[in-house]
Amino acid sequence: MKLALVISTSDAAFDALAFKGDLENGVRMAKEIGYDAVEIAVRDPKTVNVTDIRKLLDELNMSVSAIGTGQGYLAEGLNMVDESDEIQNKTMQRLRDHVDFASEFGAMVIIGFIRGTAKGRSRKEVEDIFVKNLTNLADYAAGKNVKIVVEPLNRYETDFINTLSEAERIIERVGAGNVGILADTFHMNIEEVDICEELMRIKDKLYHFHVADSNRWAPGAGHLDFKPIIETLRKAGYKDYIAVECLPLPGGARESAELAFRTMKDLLSELPS
Ligand code: LER
Ligand code: MN
C-alpha cells in the first residue's frame, strides 16, 4: 500500500484538503514528507494546465492516485441527479472532462459530492437517474482505461449513498468492472455498524481508500483506532493507495500531513505484510 496526500488546484470550498490553492507547493511538500502520490481536487479540469502538472510530477517522480470532483458541486451546484436535465448534462460533460484529465495520469475519478442529493424524492427515482448516468460515465471511462470510484459520504453531507452497502448495491446495478468503491474512514466512523466487517465484505469492489481521524484531523489526532482497519486492508489484499484527506489540523497543512504520514507509515511497517 502506498500513501497519497489530497491537495487542490485552487482555493476550494471543501475544508479537508491540505495545501489548498497552490498545487506546486502542495506536490513539493508531499514529496518532501515522503508521500508517493498526490490526489488532485479540481473544479474544472479545462482550467488547469495538464502539461505543467505533468512536468512537475515527472520532475518529482510523483504519481496521482485519484481526481476529486466535488468542487463542481460545492462551487457550481453540478450534480448527477439534479431535477433539471440541463444540469445533469452539464455535470456529465464535466465528469467526462475529469475522466480525460485522470487518463493523463493513470488516476481514478471520484464520485463524492458530485452525485448530488435525493432532496425529498424517492430513493428509487434518484437511484435510477444515478445508475443511468453512472453507467454512461463508466462506459466512457472504460474507453480511456479509467476507474470510477463511488464514495459513501456521511448523512450530514448527503442523503444519498451513506454506507458501503448502499454503494455496493448501486455498483452491482451498474455492473461495470471499472466502477468500484472508495471507503473513507471519516464517513465510515459515522455511518458503519462495523467498519472492518464491512470492508472485508466489499473487498473485491474496494478500489480506493481515504483516511482522516474521527474529528477529520490527521490520523493520530483523534480517537479512531487505525490498527484493525489497516490490518483489515492487508487481510483483504488491498494494494492500492491510502490517501490522506484531512483538515489542516493539528498545526496547519504541513504539520498535519506529516503526522498523518508518520501514523500510517508506522502502522504499515508494524503489521505483517
Ligand atoms: C467529502 O466529505 C469527501 O470525503 C470527499 O472525498 C468527497 O469527494
Ligand atoms: Mn473522502
Side-chain angles (χ1 to χ4, degrees), residues 80-81 88 92 95-96 99 109-112 114-115 126-142 146-151 160-161 166-176 178-181:
M80 294 168 78
V81 298
Q88 272 186 47
M92 295 312 293
L95 284 169
R96 286 191 292 274
V99 167
V109 171
I110 298 173
I111 305 295
I114 199 113
R115 67 171 155 289
V126 178
E127 205 176 293
D128 286 351
I129 300 171
F130 185 66
V131 166
K132 179 190 84 186
N133 283 333
L134 185 57
T135 305
N136 287 337
L137 186 68
D139 195 38
Y140 181 79
V146 169
K147 285 184 183 150
I148 309 286
V149 280
V150 177
E151 179 179 25
F160 177 53
I161 316 177
E166 282 174 86
E168 182 194 30
R169 190 169 44 75
I170 286 186
I171 281 168
E172 266 169 18
R173 278 188 65 186
V174 173
N178 64 332
V179 180
I181 298 175

Side-chain angles (χ1 to χ4, degrees), residues 151 184 187 210 216 245:
E151 179 179 25
D184 181 321
H187 301 299
H210 277 171
R216 218 167 202 177
E245 182 190 51

Side-chain angles (χ1 to χ4, degrees), residues 6 14 16-17 39 67-71 74 110-115 151-154 157 182 184 186-187 210 216 245:
V6 181
F14 180 52
L17 298 166
E39 186 151 317
I67 306 299
T69 59
Q71 288 177 35
L74 296 169
I110 298 173
I111 305 295
F113 285 117
I114 199 113
R115 67 171 155 289
E151 179 179 25
L153 302 179
N154 74 75
E157 296 185 17
L182 158 54
D184 181 321
F186 175 70
H187 301 299
H210 277 171
R216 218 167 202 177
E245 182 190 51

